[in-house]
Amino acid sequence: MCGIVGYLGTAPAAPVLIDGLEKLEYRGYDSAGIALMSEGKLAVVRRKGRVAELAFARTMQGDLGIGHTRWATHGAPCERNAHPHRCGKICLVHNGIIENAASLRAACEARGEAFSSDTDSEVAAHLIDGLYRKEGDLLRAVKGAAGQLVGSYAFAVLAEGERQIVCARMHSPLIVAEGADGVFAASDLAAVQAEGRTAYVLEDGDFARLTDGGVELFDGALSPVAREAVPLGCEEPAPDAGAFRHFMRKEIDEVPQAVQNSIPDLSKPEFSDLCKVLCQTQYLHIVACGTAYHSGLCMKHAAELFARVPTQVSIASEYRYADPIVPPRTLTIAVSQSGETADTLAAAQLAKEKGSRLLAVTNVAHSSLTRLADFVLPTHAGREVGVAATKSFNAQLAVLYALAARLALARGRRAPTLAGLPTLAEETLVRCGRIGAWTPYFQGARSVFFLGRGADRCAALEGSLKLKEISYLPSEGYAAGELKHGTLALVDNATPVVALACDRALADKTMNAVHEVYARGAPVFLVTPFEELYHAREVTASVLLPRCEPAFSPILSVIPLQLLAYHVSLALGRDPDKPRNLAKSVTVE
Ligand code: AGP
């Protein structure tokens, strides 16, 4: 996914565009560029790397322009593949994937058109340019080109010499906004937030034309259309890591507050309709990706244990193509920090089409997922800047565990309280003060295993993902009891093992796996609330967690794993906030 911006107004465009791109860097940051129009002439600058590489362009002339920060899909991350892309008088920025780009490009090349990049986006520039030369109308040219595309797109398009920006949206988020200082286009609200402006959320198939007269919205037939107006509040202050070196470390420190703020009071009137549905729910389906998928696995464990509600957790990109069976009285829960993950949105849409009610658990108000859902249970983790999800995972668990407890209550069953979890999370952070000392055992690892059973396995999966995505070390989260069925062959003194044993009923079984890997030379690191295990002789180092409801233990046991990943990432010279190849919100499939 990428971030796109556009501006037309009375102020110099370059600073507006670059400031907007800085707020969208969470969407991708392998290259960036802007195009500016000054006295009808277009100038384009692009650089490999972060938006900061464009600092020199802040003084460029022009009060109209577009900009882009990239997460490479087609074509390596380099200057020639960076956006904006030009063809003739047309210049565009694109977020999405054009799935039929190869055939369209071949047709353009057969007509003698030369390409300067390896991207799918440049194909759109060629199509628009061809139609623009014929019709001379930019809006109609963009519509005509969009009609040939298969896939997803959010475009902002300029034509040299014309004082307008044309936008189009299909399956990639795009908003337009207007205010006293001009008109704007952006991938999300954060990039245009400012007092007195009004934003409009484009829907799939919509077009927009931005001029000095303001914003015009059109449907797929180019008929004028009205969209939800979102009054923008004061500009969000630039996120600040404060006393911390990285946002990720700050956000781990915010876990207790995120949990505290996210535990919902489901007795509130605003949740009465949802609770009625909960009482009728016979099946739970959870669809999510990455970390959110892991929080769904944690929810399954708790919902089936306490409420005895059959719960199916699906990786959204699998669910959306699996023609899922959705029985009557199924409630589908879509979990997504950003609320913009393409696979999760598609899975959620499919669940609705199959007759399920849809509950969104997300951290971003006004996100696409909140607009799709029948019900919303927000997490209140606060803005999460680090690409690696941390506090948002704990916040998702706070919401999902409360939901599991409410489901249990609705069935006259035991419903453990979550009340003490924020304090226990605070205590856990205190007890993790020495995690950094584990780092040397991991720096040179060939691979790392995270082991657990039951709820511990869910936390192990999340711990493994954290380590992989910010240290680039191979790692695997694994069912402790499954190791001996093959994967144990990989274990030796170069494969440190992190074992989680937070459920007394399963802890001794997990320790069997600890003995097995210890016997093969692996250094073992244990996360447990049980003193007797904490001092086990096979363990190189361990963290003694505070006691909590075992089924809720991932909300605590993940904290040392988040910190471990952070310290190992630093030791290996990585950037834990912006790891390579990744982005915070994956709005393409
Ligand atoms: C987690 O650390 C990753 N950043 C990634 O797996 C993420 O959880 C996934 O892309 C889902 O994002 P979402 O919660 O915004 O839908």
Side-chain angles (χ1 to χ4, degrees):
M1 64 293 10
C2 309
I4 71 172
V5 291
Y7 173 69
L8 181 157
T10 52
V16 175
L17 296 172
I18 294 171
D19 290 346
L21 289 179
E22 285 173 347
K23 291 180 179 132
L24 295 176
E25 255 194 323
Y26 72 90
R27 305 177 61 83
Y29 37 83
D30 60 41
S31 56
I34 61 173
L36 293 163
M37 188 104 76
S38 176
E39 293 168 5
K41 280 289 175 211
L42 260 179
V44 178
V45 290
R46 304 179 298 179
R47 288 293 182 276
K48 182 177 189 305
R50 306 278 171 80
V51 171
E53 300 299 324
L54 296 176
F56 73 94
R58 281 183 174 275
T59 54
M60 285 177 67
Q61 296 302 306
D63 52 6
L64 156 64
I66 54 179
H68 187 275
T69 182
R70 187 171 181 242
W71 178 74
T73 53
H74 294 66
C78 58
E79 188 167 326
R80 65 189 287 271
N81 288 330
H83 302 213
H85 288 291
R86 286 191 74 164
C87 182
K89 288 184 174 298
I90 297 302
C91 185
L92 69 79
V93 289
H94 168 227
N95 172 33
I97 290 180
I98 300 171
E99 294 176 3
N100 60 335
S103 57
L104 292 169
R105 178 171 176 142
C108 291
E109 288 172 330
R111 292 193 295 268
E113 297 179 32
F115 282 75
S116 59
S117 81
D118 308 320
T119 67
D120 55 339
S121 309
E122 189 186 355
V123 173
H126 280 251
L127 296 180
I128 296 168
D129 182 59
L131 291 166
Y132 182 67
R133 289 171 190 275
K134 282 186 199 135
E135 303 186 23
D137 178 300
L138 184 56
L139 176 62
R140 303 198 67 77
V142 173
K143 177 189 181 292
Q148 300 175 55
L149 304 180
V150 174
S152 59
Y153 53 80
F155 288 127
V157 189
L158 301 178
E160 188 162 41
E162 289 219 41
R163 190 167 170 75
Q164 62 172 317
I165 301 171
V166 168
C167 298
R169 174 201 163 144
M170 182 62 79
H171 303 318
S172 289
L174 186 59
I175 60 110
V176 292
E178 57 190 4
D181 52 347
V183 287
F184 306 79
S187 298
D188 83 13
L189 293 169
V192 295
Q193 199 80 309
E195 203 64 53
R197 289 179 191 165
T198 301
Y200 301 91
V201 182
L202 268 64
E203 295 185 5
D204 284 345
D206 282 0
F207 297 87
R209 179 162 54 198
L210 282 60
T211 64
D212 288 309
V215 166
E216 300 166 87
L217 302 176
F218 306 91
D219 64 14
L222 293 189
S223 304
V225 70
R227 291 293 177 233
E228 174 198 358
V230 179
L232 298 182
C234 55
E235 190 165 353
E236 273 189 14
D240 174 4
F244 295 94
R245 195 174 149 201
H246 296 96
F247 284 104
M248 182 181 176
R249 182 61 192 83
K250 172 173 178 272
E251 287 154 4
I252 294 169
D253 228 55
E254 293 171 345
V255 161
Q257 193 60 57
V259 172
Q260 177 67 53
N261 295 345
S262 298
I263 297 174
D265 175 1
L266 293 173
S267 65
K268 281 184 177 174
E270 67 198 84
F271 298 126
S272 60
D273 289 345
L274 170 60
C275 289
K276 284 186 192 118
V277 169
L278 290 178
C279 292
Q280 301 154 9
T281 296
Q282 294 293 313
Y283 302 94
L284 285 180
H285 283 186
I286 300 172
V287 293
C289 302
T291 287
Y293 168 71
H294 296 150
S295 65
L297 292 173
C298 294
M299 167 64 171
K300 169 184 169 68
H301 181 82
E304 292 187 342
L305 176 66
F306 298 125
R308 307 306 292 162
V309 173
T311 303
Q312 169 188 301
V313 190
S314 301
I315 290 173
S317 55
E318 290 294 304
Y319 180 94
R320 67 183 291 191
Y321 295 112
D323 190 12
I325 299 163
V326 180
R329 305 178 80 168
T330 294
L331 174 64
T332 299
I333 307 173
V335 186
S336 173
Q337 188 283 131
S338 64
E340 297 297 347
T341 299
D343 287 322
T344 305
L345 290 171
Q349 177 63 46
L350 178 59
K352 285 190 76 170
E353 288 164 5
K354 286 191 174 272
S356 173
R357 304 304 292 276
L358 179 67
L359 166 63
V361 174
T362 182
N363 200 41
V364 178
H366 298 298
S367 61
S368 299
L369 184 59
T370 59
R371 290 198 298 278
L372 179 63
D374 300 306
F375 310 100
V376 179
L377 267 181
T379 55
H380 297 290
R383 187 167 172 197
E384 187 173 69
V385 176
V387 166
T390 50
K391 63 178 182 174
S392 63
F393 174 72
N394 304 76
Q396 286 165 2
L397 295 186
V399 168
L400 293 169
Y401 287 153
L403 204 55
R406 185 66 185 77
L407 275 164
L409 217 51
R411 286 158 180 73
R413 300 178 60 88
R414 185 173 81 91
T417 175
L418 285 72
L421 290 176
T423 305
L424 294 175
E426 199 69 62
E427 176 59 24
T428 300
L429 275 170
V430 171
R431 297 185 184 199
C432 287
R434 291 193 41 71
I435 290 281
W438 297 10
T439 303
Y441 293 91
F442 291 83
Q443 274 176 267
R446 186 181 66 251
S447 180
V448 180
F449 285 96
F450 291 77
L451 304 179
R453 288 171 180 255
D456 285 328
R457 181 179 80 88
C458 308
L461 292 170
E462 175 57 14
S464 173
L465 175 60
K466 281 295 89 58
L467 185 69
K468 278 183 281 194
E469 66 177 325
I470 64 172
S471 74
Y472 318 155
L473 282 178
S475 168
E476 204 163 352
Y478 222 79
E482 184 64 6
L483 200 66
K484 55 187 176 292
H485 298 291
T487 307
L488 188 60
L490 294 174
V491 172
D492 60 22
N493 60 5
T495 58
V497 171
V498 180
L500 292 93
C502 301
D503 182 339
R504 197 71 200 77
L506 298 171
D508 293 339
K509 302 295 181 194
T510 299
M511 292 309 287
N512 288 345
V514 166
H515 302 323
E516 288 156 16
V517 297
Y518 177 75
R520 277 125 185 117
V524 178
F525 300 84
L526 184 64
V527 176
T528 182
F530 307 119
E531 287 264 3
E532 64 277 23
L533 303 184
Y534 176 74
H535 296 296
R537 65 183 183 80
E538 296 88 348
V539 170
T540 300
S542 52
V543 165
L544 185 65
L545 297 179
R547 296 282 183 102
C548 80
E549 167 60 54
F552 294 165
S553 62
I555 209 166
L556 305 182
S557 63
V558 78
I559 296 171
L561 310 185
Q562 293 166 344
L563 287 168
L564 174 64
Y566 174 75
H567 287 296
V568 175
S569 174
L570 289 191
L572 291 172
R574 316 296 191 206
D575 178 348
D577 283 340
K578 290 197 172 79
R580 69 182 180 190
N581 305 348
L582 301 180
K584 185 64 180 172
S585 174
V586 186
T587 61
V588 293
E589 65 168 301

